[in-house]
Amino acid sequence: MINIYLKILDFLYPLFNRLGINYYQLRAIVEIKLKMDNRRTRFNQWNKNQHESNSTFYLTLFLYFISSTVFAVFVYASDSVTAVYSVFFAFLMFMIAMSLITDFSSVLLDSNDNAVLLPRPIESKTLLIARITHILMYLLSMMLALSLPTLIITGIKYGLLTAITLFFVCLLALMLVVFLTNILYLTLMKFTSEERLRNIINGFQIFMTFILMGGYRVVGNLIDAKTFTTSVETKVEWWHYMLPPIWMGNSINTVVNHTVDAPHFIFIFLTLTIPFVGLFFLNSGFTNIFSEKIASIDNAKRTVVSPRQVNNKDLVTRLAKTFTRTSIERGAFEFVWKMTARDRKFKLRVYPSLAYLLIYPIFMIGASRGDGTFIEQIKSLEEKKWVALMAVYMCSTILLAIRTQISQTEDFKASWIYQIVPLSRPGEVLSGTLRAVLVKYIFTMCIILALMLGLVWGVNMLDDLCFGILAIINIDLLTSIGMSSELPFSIELKKNGGGNFIKNMLYIVGAGILAIIHYFLMQVPYVIGVFGLLQLALALFLLKKYREVGWEKVTFE
């Protein structure tokens, strides 16, 4: 595959030469970067067995190809050229931009090669274009995977000329996304530090994962199928001139329907000129600024920052003293609380699920698709108490996800510290970990759920919320006491054995059975309150037993 990329690069030699770039230096840098890519793991929210190979990337391209067939079907069935191609370009540009931000940000902003390349006689222009060209090799493959089904259907339905035009416009969309993303990076680097910039990128990753998990529900409710089945083109509005996907959709419409008027000429002009204007700025004034910012990031890494004095009366310390009993529990509580706030990959694996749970009730409202207003649809849920129970017991999946992920880390070899400290009962560390998770995540989710349940179903559902959360905690404690457990941040990422699989299955089945029992108990007055007190007593007893867990129940790498 590398040879194919280099052949494409050789074909573009006249362009690079005309831009004043040392092509042979650029080719050597890109070739080395492509070879080193096999050692880099790409963004994957599940982080499943990411070996040092390109198989993950090829699988991603195949999945992109399969998912893009949906738009090919829309193109074939739709009579509104502007609408369907505007949506297609919006999808294409969104996927490329999010991949550039989430997957290749570490490549574009990497300053480690400065120590090797900057002392050499290499211009900053050549170095930046080499970085961007390296990324474009992969983005071009992604663009082809995302657009190939639509290109095929376009050629069949509208002819070869339209398909060639569509491919050319897709290349322009790719150029525009790269330019806009670099402008975004430069703006962020101007106003934020390196650490905050990486946190912002991590936020984009979480947002992308959340969109992939739940966005289809929103899109399904927003899109009106009539827009794609009618042959009447939508009226051009002023804000259409601000959205590149609409420029490109109207440009394709001009080729298909031979629409000739002033608005479509403007759309074609914007489509053809703005990407090249961006390329000109990227090649002229942008390269030196970007290289200086990259160098400043490198200097920021070397700056020694004096440690901040910890205030013993901060929120975490007060919470630890409130919810723990021993000093070891307190230390584990503070350690887990702070590590979960700093570990970006932990947040990437867990936070999308938290966000999905928060909007789950809204999804359920949208799923009803009634003819009434939004308020009327909410009122219609008052009789569907099973929806509220589903929202409550979905907390079990959140707790399971956090408990599974909190033991995993890339720096698992540092777990030797657990084995050399004078710790007679690791159960105190496990208990402090659980308490931190419950306070930071589950109790916070309970407050939000209490507001949602109270607004829709009334305050009578609050005792059901307490019963359900206590039931979930008891299931977690029973499975943790009865089977092996892992200390926080002590296991290599995704090294789960069969024992964990059985434990997770018991957890899920137990939560499902309790949810069914809970639903039938709701039919009897005052029963939930009585059984809730029994659940509380059981939880306190199991917490005490969990604190007494010995080393024989702990799993290490």
Side-chain angles (χ1 to χ4, degrees):
M1 194 67 181
I2 293 178
N3 291 331
I4 297 176
Y5 287 141
L6 293 178
K7 291 293 183 182
I8 296 174
L9 207 60
D10 292 336
F11 179 76
L12 297 175
Y13 167 77
L15 174 63
F16 290 116
N17 191 39
R18 188 174 183 84
L19 292 174
I21 296 169
N22 189 320
Y23 173 74
Y24 299 102
Q25 291 180 347
L26 179 139
R27 191 183 193 278
I29 295 172
V30 171
E31 183 177 5
I32 293 298
K33 284 180 175 290
L34 291 173
K35 290 179 179 178
M36 292 179 63
D37 274 341
N38 292 347
R39 306 175 185 177
R40 183 176 63 88
T41 56
R42 291 183 173 80
F43 164 67
N44 183 353
Q45 106 95 5
W46 295 277
N47 289 294
K48 292 182 179 178
N49 299 325
Q50 293 180 339
H51 300 291
E52 292 183 0
S53 68
N54 280 333
S55 59
T56 303
F57 181 66
Y58 296 142
L59 177 61
T60 302
L61 292 181
F62 176 73
L63 294 177
Y64 282 159
F65 177 83
I66 297 299
S67 63
S68 63
T69 55
V70 175
F71 287 95
V73 173
F74 272 124
V75 170
Y76 184 80
S78 175
D79 293 324
S80 178
V81 178
T82 300
V84 72
Y85 280 103
S86 296
V87 173
F88 166 72
F89 282 114
F91 167 76
L92 179 68
M93 296 178 71
F94 172 80
M95 294 299 295
I96 293 175
M98 294 310 295
S99 180
L100 183 57
I101 292 171
T102 58
D103 191 21
F104 295 101
S105 59
S106 59
V107 178
L108 188 61
L109 301 177
D110 185 23
S111 59
N112 293 327
D113 55 359
N114 285 353
V116 177
L117 297 177
L118 289 183
R120 272 70 178 174
I122 300 176
E123 294 184 359
S124 58
K125 178 190 301 186
T126 302
L127 183 56
L128 177 61
I129 298 300
R131 291 176 188 265
I132 296 175
T133 303
H134 165 227
I135 295 172
L136 279 174
M137 295 294 182
Y138 290 103
L139 294 183
L140 180 62
S141 301
M142 182 185 302
M143 187 211 73
L144 289 174
L146 290 169
S147 61
L148 187 58
T150 304
L151 287 169
I152 294 173
I153 296 299
T154 299
I156 295 173
K157 187 175 181 180
Y158 298 116
L160 181 60
L161 177 62
T162 306
I164 294 174
T165 304
L166 178 62
F167 176 74
F168 177 68
V169 177
C170 287
L171 291 177
L172 295 177
L174 176 61
M175 292 171 53
L176 184 60
V177 168
V178 172
F179 169 68
L180 294 177
T181 306
N182 280 277
I183 290 294
L184 173 65
Y185 281 142
L186 182 63
T187 304
L188 292 176
M189 285 188 290
K190 182 176 180 62
F191 296 103
T192 64
S193 62
E194 180 217 359
E195 182 68 18
R196 182 167 294 181
L197 175 61
R198 297 187 187 278
N199 287 333
I200 293 173
I201 292 172
N202 184 244
F204 273 112
Q205 292 175 320
I206 295 172
F207 172 74
M208 181 182 180
T209 307
F210 169 67
I211 288 296
L212 294 178
M213 289 174 61
Y216 70 97
R217 297 293 301 270
V218 177
V219 173
N221 289 334
L222 292 180
I223 291 180
D224 186 2
K226 295 180 180 179
T227 304
F228 297 98
T229 56
T230 180
S231 59
V232 179
E233 296 295 336
T234 57
K235 181 182 177 181
V236 176
E237 303 288 347
W238 64 268
W239 51 270
H240 288 178
Y241 298 101
M242 302 174 63
L243 299 177
I246 296 182
W247 308 344
M248 298 170 185
N250 278 280
S251 299
I252 299 298
N253 181 40
T254 301
V255 177
V256 172
N257 295 324
H258 307 289
T259 307
V260 180
D261 54 23
H264 284 80
F265 272 120
I266 296 175
F267 287 131
I268 294 174
F269 176 79
L270 292 173
T271 301
L272 294 177
T273 57
I274 296 300
F276 289 104
V277 171
L279 179 64
F280 171 77
F281 281 110
L282 196 65
N283 181 61
S284 57
F286 186 70
T287 52
N288 292 330
I289 300 174
F290 195 85
S291 298
E292 290 174 4
K293 293 297 182 181
I294 293 293
S296 66
I297 286 180
D298 190 51
N299 292 333
K301 287 182 180 180
R302 300 174 184 176
T303 303
V304 178
V305 180
S306 59
R308 182 177 60 89
Q309 294 184 347
V310 179
N311 186 358
N312 292 328
K313 295 183 179 180
D314 63 1
L315 176 63
V316 180
T317 303
R318 291 198 299 270
L319 290 174
K321 290 180 178 179
T322 303
F323 291 98
T324 59
R325 296 182 59 183
T326 67
S327 59
I328 296 177
E329 271 188 338
R330 190 176 305 119
F333 185 102
E334 295 186 22
F335 169 70
V336 170
W337 188 290
K338 293 176 181 178
M339 281 295 295
T340 53
R342 298 170 184 172
D343 192 334
R344 295 187 184 92
K345 293 191 175 180
F346 171 82
K347 292 188 285 187
L348 179 60
R349 298 192 300 268
V350 172
Y351 281 22
S353 300
L354 296 175
Y356 189 81
L357 177 62
L358 288 177
I359 68 167
Y360 172 77
I362 301 175
F363 283 169
M364 295 304 300
I365 295 171
S368 62
R369 283 185 173 252
D371 295 330
T373 62
F374 183 76
I375 300 298
E376 292 174 347
Q377 292 185 35
I378 291 179
K379 290 182 178 180
S380 67
L381 288 177
E382 293 179 0
E383 302 298 326
K384 302 176 182 179
K385 293 188 177 181
W386 60 269
V387 176
L389 281 186
M390 286 186 65
V392 172
Y393 280 90
M394 277 187 69
C395 288
S396 64
T397 63
I398 299 300
L399 181 57
L400 177 62
I402 296 173
R403 295 277 279 161
T404 302
Q405 300 294 340
I406 206 167
S407 62
Q408 300 176 11
T409 179
E410 291 183 340
D411 302 321
F412 64 96
K413 293 182 179 180
S415 62
W416 59 266
I417 192 68
Y418 291 123
Q419 297 175 319
I420 66 169
V421 296
L423 185 63
S424 58
R425 293 185 304 181
E428 294 184 86
V429 176
L430 296 173
S431 177
T433 301
L434 176 60
R435 292 166 189 263
V437 170
L438 292 178
V439 174
K440 186 173 185 178
Y441 296 105
I442 303 303
F443 291 171
T444 303
M445 298 297 294
C446 286
I447 295 173
I448 299 173
L449 278 176
L451 294 174
M452 292 183 178
L453 297 180
L455 290 174
V456 178
W457 288 275
V459 294
N460 293 332
M461 287 296 299
L462 298 184
D463 57 344
D464 293 282
L465 174 61
C466 295
F467 179 91
I469 295 300
L470 287 172
I472 292 168
I473 294 173
N474 286 334
I475 293 173
D476 182 85
L477 287 169
L478 285 171
T479 54
S480 298
I481 293 173
M483 304 185 71
S484 61
S485 300
E486 296 90 12
L487 294 171
F489 303 101
S490 63
I491 304 295
E492 187 177 0
L493 214 55
K494 283 299 174 185
K495 289 282 186 174
N496 293 334
N500 268 351
F501 175 77
I502 296 173
K503 179 179 176 180
N504 294 343
M505 288 303 299
L506 289 174
Y507 184 98
I508 294 171
V509 172
I513 293 174
L514 274 178
I516 295 173
I517 296 174
H518 188 170
Y519 179 76
F520 288 106
L521 289 177
M522 289 173 62
Q523 314 306 319
V524 183
Y526 307 110
V527 170
I528 292 296
V530 175
F531 277 87
L533 293 176
L534 296 177
Q535 291 271 25
L536 178 60
L538 178 61
L540 295 175
F541 173 76
L542 292 177
L543 280 172
K544 181 179 178 181
K545 289 295 182 182
Y546 194 40
R547 192 184 296 115
E548 298 172 358
V549 169
W551 284 105
E552 68 278 0
K553 291 285 188 179
V554 175
T555 302
F556 274 102
E557 277 296 315

